[in-house]
Structures are given as structure tokens and as C-alpha cells.
Amino acid sequence: MPRFFRNNKQFILFFLIAVALIAAMAYTYDTERYVTKVESIVGTVFTPIQKVFYQMGEGISNLFSSISEIGTLRATNEKLQKEVEKLRKENIQLQELMNENKRLKEALNFKTENVELDLKLATITGKNSGNWFNTFTIDKGKNEGIQPGMAVLDERGNMVGQITEVGDNWAKVLAIIDRDSSVSAVDVRTRDNGVVRGDSNGGLIMIYLPLDAELIEGDVVTTSGMSRFPKGLIIGKVSKVTRDPGSLLKQAVIEPAADFERLEYVFVVTNTTNTGK
């Protein structure tokens, strides 16, 4: 007989008896009978062990269930993120359409209220580098009756610049904020005349004002009609009046009425006759 069996006879005997009793309990289980004393002892010994294995089994089952749920949640989260991104893009597109509709509505209102002006609505297709629209290109040209020197307005009718070059279906615009631009202008309140030109900061300066000029902050400045541009086109408002260094004249800093950072559509005034506004 092997040495292990000789040295562990009692353990082996106990083990065999326990197995036999468990098997007997399994095959003779009756819900209406009372267990024997031996069965009770065996149950007392093996119940904690059974409990441990049961809890381990439950833990493993719960672990696999959790892993499955994590996979499901991850898939759901990815789906929701895609839906959020889709809605975000749709919201941006809707906002763009709303902004475009607002601009076109303003353009239509201005055109309806100024029937004395022959206006061609054009879309800006390109501009010079930088934040300001010093020079830019539009999608209207000779085929639409556009000619060099014509005034260009924003969708609310504020002065933007003038046409400098023309192709069949395009034209270039020099903005009034460019240093090479100059426009005859008048203060609406005082009727003081001068010339508005661009400065190096994307703004406007009204020069050649007499020393007795009474311009003040907030005065509206428009085209004077002393050039080929129609009279009364809004250029901007006076923000400061100073003495022109080295001369006997005054000058005024003008805040442009047009937003030269956000231009999208412009009107080209195809009739150059003064309107008398």
C-alpha cells in the first residue's frame, strides 16, 4: 500500500464517509422528512464551503454581466456622441441660414426703401489678407452693368467703397478704410464739408475741415454729392475732433458705419446721379 494511504487512513476514511453521506442526501432528499444526526453534522461542516463556492460563482457571473453591460454602455455612449455631433452641426447650419436670412432681409428692406438707387446685390467671393476688407472681389461684373468708380454699400446701405476693376462676371472693390481711398463727405448736422480717407488702423479720418467747423462726437457723416457718388450715403459717425498738425485746419476721426470685419453681401450703385438726399 502506498505510503500516503498508510499515513492518512483516518482522513481518507472520513472523506469517503462524507462523500457517501452527501450522495445519500442527494438521492434520498425528501422535503417532508427530518435529517439524521449524521446528516446534520455533515451539513454543518459542508454548508460554509458550499456557501463560499456559491458566492464565488455569483461573483464571477456578476463580473461577466458587468463586462457585458460596460460594452453596451460604451456602444450607447458612442451612438449618443454621434447624435450630439450631428445636432451640433445642424444647429450651426441653422444659425448660418438664420444669419443669411437676416442679412438678405435687411438688404431687401434697404432696396425697397431706396427706389431712387439702382442697386445690384453681389456676394463677396474673396478679400485681401488680414481682418479688414480693404480690397475684395465680388461676383458681379460687366455682364451686370458694373463699371469702375461705382459706389459699393453694405446690405444696410452704409458706404463701403468703390469699384476699381471689372471683369465679365467679377469686380474688385477698394474699401473706404484703405489709405488709397478718398470720398467727399459732409457732416449732416453742421454741413461742414471735407474728405474722408482711410487710416492705417482700419478706420477713417475726415480731413480739410475749416477751423471754425463745429463737428462734435456722434455727428453723422455722409457722402456730400460733390463726386460721382450719390449724395447722402452714410459713411459713419464722428468719434473725435482734433487740430490737424501743421495746418490751419481741423480733422475728425470717423467710426465707419459698415462692419468691415463681417461683410458678406454688398450693393453696387449702378446709377451715379446725385439723389439729393
Side-chain angles (χ1 to χ4, degrees):
M1 179 180 294
R3 184 176 180 182
F4 173 79
F5 290 102
R6 289 198 303 270
N7 295 338
N8 297 280
K9 289 180 179 181
Q10 292 181 349
F11 174 77
I12 294 171
L13 179 62
F14 173 77
F15 179 76
L16 292 174
I17 292 172
V19 171
L21 288 173
I22 293 173
M25 291 173 64
Y27 282 100
T28 62
Y29 182 74
D30 187 350
T31 57
E32 295 184 358
R33 73 178 183 86
Y34 293 98
V35 297
T36 65
K37 189 173 184 180
V38 175
E39 289 175 335
S40 177
I41 294 172
V42 172
T44 301
V45 173
F46 284 95
T47 294
I49 299 174
Q50 184 183 19
K51 182 178 180 181
V52 170
F53 280 100
Y54 174 78
Q55 291 176 341
M56 289 177 62
E58 284 290 305
I60 293 173
S61 177
N62 292 335
L63 175 62
F64 281 104
S65 296
S66 298
I67 293 174
S68 177
E69 290 176 359
I70 290 173
T72 302
L73 289 174
R74 183 177 289 112
T76 302
N77 183 56
E78 291 177 355
K79 182 179 179 181
L80 290 174
Q81 286 181 343
K82 290 180 180 179
E83 287 292 329
V84 169
E85 182 63 19
K86 179 182 177 182
L87 291 173
R88 187 184 71 82
K89 291 180 179 179
E90 289 178 351
N91 183 61
I92 292 174
Q93 292 173 350
L94 178 61
Q95 189 63 47
E96 286 290 330
L97 289 173
M98 291 175 63
N99 291 337
E100 183 178 12
N101 182 66
K102 179 182 178 182
R103 287 179 174 273
L104 292 175
K105 185 177 180 180
E106 290 176 342
L108 178 61
N109 289 339
F110 175 75
K111 188 172 184 178
T112 302
E113 294 169 359
N114 294 270
V115 293
E116 73 280 2
L117 297 176
D118 293 335
L119 302 171
K120 295 288 185 181
L121 184 64
T123 302
I124 295 176
T125 56
K127 73 180 188 72
N128 62 305
S129 60
N131 294 330
W132 305 104
F133 284 72
N134 291 59
T135 59
F136 56 90
T137 307
I138 60 175
D139 64 350
K140 295 291 188 296
K142 291 179 182 178
N143 295 338
E144 297 288 337
I146 308 301
Q147 298 177 10
M150 289 182 171
V152 179
L153 317 177
D154 69 7
E155 66 270 13
R156 295 186 300 274
N158 300 311
M159 188 68 182
V160 168
Q162 63 178 305
I163 302 293
T164 56
E165 296 181 41
V166 180
D168 289 339
N169 54 11
W170 60 269
K172 286 188 178 180
V173 178
L174 177 68
I176 57 174
I177 59 173
D178 190 272
R179 296 189 67 177
D180 293 332
S181 172
S182 61
V183 180
S184 296
V186 61
D187 183 298
V188 173
R189 184 181 62 85
T190 67
R191 310 313 296 174
D192 288 310
N193 283 270
V195 174
V196 171
R197 64 173 177 81
D199 65 17
S200 57
N201 299 315
L204 298 169
I205 297 177
M206 189 172 181
I207 57 176
Y208 304 139
L209 293 169
L211 278 179
D212 61 350
E214 299 179 351
L215 287 76
I216 60 174
E217 181 180 347
D219 280 358
V220 175
V221 175
T222 66
T223 52
S224 65
M226 297 177 68
S227 65
R228 63 183 304 174
F229 297 143
K231 183 179 180 181
L233 301 177
I234 297 176
I235 297 174
K237 289 183 178 181
V238 176
S239 61
K240 185 170 64 173
V241 180
T242 62
R243 177 81 174 265
D244 188 0
S247 73
L248 298 178
L249 301 172
K250 284 183 178 181
Q251 65 180 22
V253 177
I254 309 297
E255 181 181 350
D259 187 348
F260 284 94
E261 288 184 338
R262 298 176 177 83
L263 291 175
E264 292 184 35
Y265 302 97
V266 293
F267 279 120
V268 180
V269 184
T270 58
N271 63 321
T272 57
T273 303
N274 292 338
T275 64
K277 290 170 64 177

